[in-house]
Amino acid sequence: MPSSQFAQKEKYQYKNGFNSYHESEAIPGALPVGANSPQNPPFGLYAEKLSGTAFTAPRHQNQQTWLYRILPSCGHSNFEPRESSTYNTNPENKPYEKIHHIPNQLRWDPFDLDDSVDWVHSLHLVAGAGDPTTKQGLGIFIYAAGSSMAPNEAFSSSDGDFLIVPQHGILDIRTELGNLLVRPNEICVIPRGIKYRVELPSGPVRGYILELYQGHFTLPDLGPIGSNGLANARDFQVPVADFQEDTSSSWTILCKFAGHLFAAKQAHSPFDVVAWHGTYHPYKYDLARFNTLGSVSYDHPDPSIYTVLTAPSSVPGTAVADFVIFPPRWLVAEDTFRPPWYHRNTMSEFMGLIHGEYDAKTGGGFQPAGASLHNVMAGHGPDAATHERASGAELKPMKVGEGSMAFMFESCLMVGVTEWGLRRCEKVQEGYNKESWEVLKPRFRRPGAGSEGGEGGKVEGGIGDGKQVPHWT
């Protein structure tokens, strides 16, 4: 069955469809009929428009939602800087903490869980490119939290859309438009500016975030694949309206703005949207529903064939950010080196591992909750042991990746690494390059100088070993 078998059962209802026009009302009749902003909306609600794109964006790209709420979101005190000396996820604006642009291949040990912080304070920028103040580029974060946000607290990012990839623990997210339960092997996207609160129903959580500073995610075009395949639009789930009627409690509204944290006070719940309609809303997706495609003859295709979501740049076919996964799948290609070939890429590749064994690097250095970064034109590919096994393996049909899920954030931008990501987290594997590739031996033999293929021969177990997971690294 193409869906994950979660230990934590679903508790919310959803609407289905990616980039679809949805409407939802928690009280029947709360949505105006035929008009967006009538003189007196039903039940004394206020109409508020939430714009995720310019008003004049082309219709197929336009993302707007009308909210019908108990009080408008503008009813709050002034935002004031909060923890300005310690909270900064835009380090290019901090003279003593810059982003490091380096050509080396990097790999990180699993990032630590942190029981001492909530969602907001668990965000660590590992790498990024561009600047949220100009709405250009992206940021790559690790989150690791041990406590729920305070009961009367909400958070939003004015900097970009959050693509959240849980690795450990469950996120129970209340948003202005409704609720999402997000578990490992699911992802969710919370668009720029939407307020939400995160509870941790099963204890500490950890995972990865790509914050998209420009544009929004969309499904990749399928081209000659046809009308179905990869991530199907019907499998994306959107929350339904669910509101709090609270106009007397004190609430703290936290906002990430230009990488800094601000706070404002208000005397009403931000989660008071009784009904809404539009195209700008949070959503989630079960990665097990991805319809994986591949070669049935020879050679394996580029990893772009595993793209779930993409954020296009102005250059056709080139993405500011791609979200790519490597799920369980069959390999059947004949006369083909089945792990990823050695390559250098104009795109930057940041990889993470949600769960399972990752044996394309057979030394075991790539682990769940760890990561790797192969920046623009940094050469990479299978390590020496994997290459040796795959070069002599019996090429029979085999299922790979059972019990595993790896992913990649790919970008056309040169990705820099923060001081925290390079040094302060203390997770960078110093011997990554040496262990993986410096030990490769020459295999070249001139014609007539010996057996073809030199010292590289068939190794028992080979790529057909059930533990072999030839992902892209």
Side-chain angles (χ1 to χ4, degrees), residues 85-404:
S85 62
T86 58
Y87 196 100
N88 189 333
T89 61
N90 189 17
E92 285 295 346
N93 289 344
K94 192 189 275 188
Y96 54 87
E97 184 181 330
K98 70 186 193 73
I99 281 186
H100 302 271
H101 291 94
I102 53 180
N104 294 331
Q105 304 96 329
L106 294 173
R107 189 164 69 186
W108 289 265
D109 286 330
F111 294 94
D112 294 331
L113 292 166
D114 188 348
D115 292 337
S116 67
V117 295
D118 64 7
W119 172 263
V120 177
H121 296 88
S122 76
L123 303 177
H124 287 288
L125 185 68
V126 178
D131 190 333
T133 66
T134 58
K135 294 186 177 179
Q136 298 292 318
L138 55 87
I140 298 172
F141 293 79
I142 294 295
Y143 71 84
S147 60
S148 300
M149 292 174 61
N152 283 30
E153 194 172 71
F155 171 78
S156 71
S157 176
S158 295
D159 294 342
D161 291 5
F162 266 36
L163 167 58
I164 302 169
V165 184
Q167 184 276 324
H168 176 85
I170 297 168
L171 304 176
D172 192 341
I173 305 175
R174 175 161 211 147
T175 80
E176 291 180 89
L177 282 74
N179 300 298
L180 296 163
L181 188 71
V182 189
R183 301 153 290 188
N185 224 51
E186 290 182 308
I187 61 167
C188 77
V189 172
I190 300 181
R192 182 197 306 267
I194 290 180
K195 298 182 180 71
Y196 63 100
R197 179 177 174 273
V198 179
E199 287 192 357
L200 313 182
S202 64
V205 297
R206 176 176 56 196
Y208 313 81
I209 296 171
L210 188 152
E211 185 173 23
L212 183 64
Y213 302 150
Q214 67 183 94
H216 301 288
F217 290 103
T218 187
L219 296 178
D221 290 331
L222 295 179
I225 292 173
S227 56
N228 299 104
L230 309 186
N232 291 309
R234 68 183 293 251
D235 293 322
F236 288 81
Q237 297 180 298
V238 175
V240 298
D242 182 73
F243 70 98
Q244 289 181 331
E245 188 176 1
D246 178 2
T247 57
S248 59
S249 300
S250 176
W251 282 78
T252 299
I253 309 300
L254 300 172
C255 176
K256 188 168 86 70
F257 196 93
H260 297 276
L261 192 62
F262 293 81
K265 296 289 187 179
Q266 65 183 49
H268 55 97
S269 171
F271 306 117
D272 65 351
V273 177
V274 180
W276 60 267
H277 69 87
T279 56
Y280 193 62
H281 39 65
Y283 55 88
K284 75 168 188 171
Y285 176 72
D286 178 359
L287 298 179
R289 299 191 181 193
F290 188 80
N291 185 12
T292 311
L293 304 177
S295 172
V296 293
S297 55
Y298 65 91
D299 286 350
H300 58 71
D302 297 332
S304 50
I305 201 72
Y306 305 127
T307 301
V308 179
L309 295 170
T310 185
S313 72
S314 59
V315 179
T318 303
V320 175
D322 282 328
F323 175 62
V324 180
I325 65 171
F326 304 97
R329 62 203 183 277
W330 282 92
L331 297 184
V332 299
E334 299 176 323
D335 192 19
T336 295
F337 183 78
R338 288 183 175 175
W341 13 253
Y342 295 105
H343 64 293
R344 292 177 294 162
N345 194 351
T346 187
M347 308 284 279
S348 298
E349 302 176 18
F350 179 95
M351 283 199 65
L353 184 59
I354 298 171
H355 53 76
E357 292 182 294
Y358 192 94
D359 291 332
K361 295 289 191 298
T362 53
F366 194 70
Q367 303 172 50
S372 67
L373 173 63
H374 301 130
N375 226 318
V376 173
M377 291 303 170
H380 56 287
D383 62 24
T386 298
H387 182 275
E388 188 71 12
R389 288 213 305 249
S391 297
E394 178 185 356
L395 295 183
K396 57 186 178 182
M398 59 188 173
K399 187 76 173 287
V400 298
E402 291 277 34
S404 177

